[in-house]
Structure formats: structure tokens, C-alpha cells
Amino acid sequence: MNAKKVHIRKRIEQVQRYIEENLDTPVTLEMLAEQCGYSTLYFHSIFTGMVGEGVKEYQRRLCLQRAARQLLLTDKSIMNIALEAGYESQEGFSRAFKKRFDFPPLKFRKLQPQYNTLSGGKLMNTTTLPTSDLTVTIKNCTPITVAAVRHTGPYANCKNAFKTLHKWSRANGLYGTYRPVVGVSYDDPRTTPQEKLRYDACMAIPENFVVTGEARKYVIHGGRYACCIHKGSYATMPQTFTAILGHWLPDSGEELTNHPPLEVYLNCPSVTAEAELRTEIRIPFK
């Protein structure tokens, strides 16, 4: 097997072991991502795709499984078990425990005589990934000179930045000719407060074009990208992103960079049915 394939899997396995050995220690995505050498934006999707659940869900599930063993095999109080599992109240612990094991803690404890017949139960919040029709190709992409309007806040509201960009393009004589429209997401909404998320709405422009006003000019990094067409709603794009990083990447033999991923919009949402939207996701590689 390619050494890079093993390397990626080994990194994630090491993170899993670290979480398992430090269940009572708060861990952050930033810390775990740094251990792996990835940005948090990429790390969480790789972990989720390979493990089947996010870091917090993984740690929470292991804590609840430990709590289940304690209920069955010790005489610790439910409150103490709840505190050890990271819950501040017995009520919150009971709700989470029942969701995981289908029984509230007290009733579960009474199952002790049937301990040997219990099964593992269901995973919490397992992510369903659209991998069956996932087609990823490696492309050498040229740098793109763009005019960009920055949006800070929930990604769902980035359309306001595009409105500003379109208004700017009309005022500068660029509207009406086909120019690739690109979105650049800098932050992971799972690790960054919604009000601090950074996103650039971009439009390709001639290299020598002078940009003034509400837009700023910069060059999007060129090079090797893993490219995949996302079909349908922009709201489900994170699932395709996770599928690429969590299912395709580990066996690809490729290595990520820390440049942000790109979303190249292939048609216009104002004149295209949601189911017919097409977006090329580009993830930069070394």
C-alpha cells in the first residue's frame, strides 16, 4: 500500500487512541488537527468520513459506553457516573443515555442479569455520505486572478456578498460576459463561531484589471486540485466535501496543503432549479 495512504490512516488512528486514552480531558479540533498536521477545515471532514462520526460524537459515545459499563458492573451512583461522563446534570445524562441505549440509566442498570446478551447499540449522529456516485479527478489548475468581496458571518448569508460583487461588476463593465464565479471558504463552521466565518465571493478578472471600490484583487493559488462535481443544493455541499476527504483521500496517495478549498459555480442559482445546480469542489494538493 502507498506510504501516504498508510500515513493518513495512521494519523487518524493515533488521534482516536489519544481520545480514548484521555476521555476525561477536554480536546479541541484545533489541537487534534495540529497533531495531524492539517487545518481544522480539512481534519474534521477526514476524521468524520473515516470514523463515521465527528470528534465530539466519538468522544461522547465512548464516554457513554464507559458509563454503561459502570452502571452494569459497579455500584456508583448515577449522578457520579453522569459527572464522570461529562454531564452537569443527571437529567441531561439520562436523555443522552436513553438516546444511545434505548433505556434510561436506572432501567439499564436493572439489565445486569442479561449483561452477556447486550449488543453494542447504535452510533450517535453518524453522517451519511454520498459515496456511490463520487467521481474525483486530479487537475492541474492555473492561478485565477479575481475580484473578491469578503463576507463574515454564517455561510448561508454569503449571497449578500455576491449581490455586492454583481453590483460592482456592472459598475466596472464586467457584467454580462462569462467569468468563472468562485467561492472561497476559510473556516470550518463546526469549529468557528458563526459570526466569525470568513468567505470570499469571487469573480475572475483580467490580470491587469485595476480593482477599486468594494472589491479587492488577489490571485487564487494554482496547482494540483482534487475536483468533484457536487450536484444539487448548496446546503448539502458539506456532505460531498466530507466524502472526498473521508472516503476518497485516505486511499488516494495524495497529501493536502493548507490552502482553502474552492467552490466553482458552474451555473446560476437565480435561473437554475436547485436540483440542477452544479458546483465543482476543488481541494488543493501538494
Side-chain angles (χ1 to χ4, degrees), residues 4 45 96 120 149:
K4 287 184 179 178
S45 291
V149 173

Side-chain angles (χ1 to χ4, degrees), residues 79-96:
M79 187 63 219
N80 283 340
I81 292 174
L83 291 172
E84 289 184 18
Y87 292 86
E88 296 180 356
S89 70
Q90 188 169 319
E91 291 77 12
F93 170 69
S94 295
R95 285 193 299 271

Side-chain angles (χ1 to χ4, degrees), residues 113-149:
Q114 291 84 39
Y115 174 72
N116 290 329
T117 65
L118 291 175
S119 60
K122 59 187 178 183
L123 287 175
M124 298 190 309
N125 300 325
T126 299
T127 304
T128 301
L129 302 170
T131 57
S132 58
D133 60 348
L134 187 70
T135 301
V136 181
T137 57
I138 302 295
K139 296 182 181 180
N140 284 304
C141 299
T142 58
I144 308 172
T145 302
V146 298
V149 173

Side-chain angles (χ1 to χ4, degrees), residues 33-62:
E34 185 177 355
Q35 288 183 8
C36 283
Y38 294 132
S39 68
T40 56
L41 182 65
Y42 293 131
F43 169 74
H44 193 279
S45 291
I46 295 172
F47 187 96
T48 301
M50 293 182 66
V51 178
E53 55 195 331
V55 169
K56 290 183 179 179
E57 289 76 23
Y58 185 71
Q59 186 178 34
R60 187 181 301 122
R61 176 170 60 83
L62 294 181

Side-chain angles (χ1 to χ4, degrees), residues 91-283:
E91 291 77 12
F93 170 69
S94 295
R95 285 193 299 271
F97 192 91
K98 185 176 180 180
K99 182 178 180 181
R100 174 69 180 86
F101 290 102
D102 296 326
F103 294 98
L106 183 58
K107 190 170 183 179
F108 187 88
R109 172 164 265 174
K110 294 179 180 178
L111 295 174
Q112 189 170 14
Q114 291 84 39
Y115 174 72
N116 290 329
T117 65
L118 291 175
S119 60
K122 59 187 178 183
L123 287 175
M124 298 190 309
N125 300 325
T126 299
T127 304
T128 301
L129 302 170
T131 57
S132 58
D133 60 348
L134 187 70
T135 301
V136 181
T137 57
I138 302 295
K139 296 182 181 180
N140 284 304
C141 299
T142 58
I144 308 172
T145 302
V146 298
V149 173
R150 171 59 57 92
H151 165 76
T152 302
Y155 285 150
N157 297 336
C158 67
K159 60 184 178 182
N160 295 326
F162 281 107
K163 289 180 180 179
T164 301
L165 181 64
H166 291 160
K167 181 179 178 181
W168 176 89
S169 69
R170 287 191 186 96
N172 286 271
L174 296 176
Y175 190 79
T177 58
Y178 174 73
R179 297 187 179 280
V181 175
V182 181
V184 184
S185 303
Y186 291 92
D187 302 301
D188 188 334
R190 292 160 294 202
T191 62
T192 306
Q194 288 286 311
E195 69 275 10
K196 296 185 181 298
L197 293 171
R198 297 168 298 156
Y199 176 94
D200 283 345
C202 305
M203 173 183 289
I205 59 173
E207 290 183 22
N208 59 353
F209 194 89
V210 177
V211 175
T212 59
E214 297 175 286
R216 66 188 180 97
K217 180 180 178 180
Y218 67 87
V219 178
I220 292 176
H221 176 77
R224 300 175 69 250
Y225 284 81
C227 302
C228 179
I229 302 298
H230 170 79
K231 302 174 182 178
S233 172
Y234 300 145
T236 59
M237 206 178 300
Q239 296 179 12
T240 303
F241 185 77
T242 298
I244 298 170
L245 292 175
H247 287 261
W248 179 86
L249 174 65
D251 293 319
S252 70
E254 298 291 344
E255 188 69 19
L256 291 165
T257 73
N258 282 326
H259 291 294
L262 310 178
E263 300 163 9
V264 181
Y265 304 106
L266 304 180
N267 46 21
C268 179
S270 63
V271 296
T272 307
E274 187 174 71
E276 300 301 318
L277 291 173
R278 296 292 182 269
T279 307
E280 183 177 67
I281 296 176
R282 295 183 184 178
I283 298 176

Side-chain angles (χ1 to χ4, degrees), residues 26-39:
V27 295
T28 65
L29 282 177
E30 290 81 1
M31 179 185 70
L32 298 177
E34 185 177 355
Q35 288 183 8
C36 283
Y38 294 132
S39 68

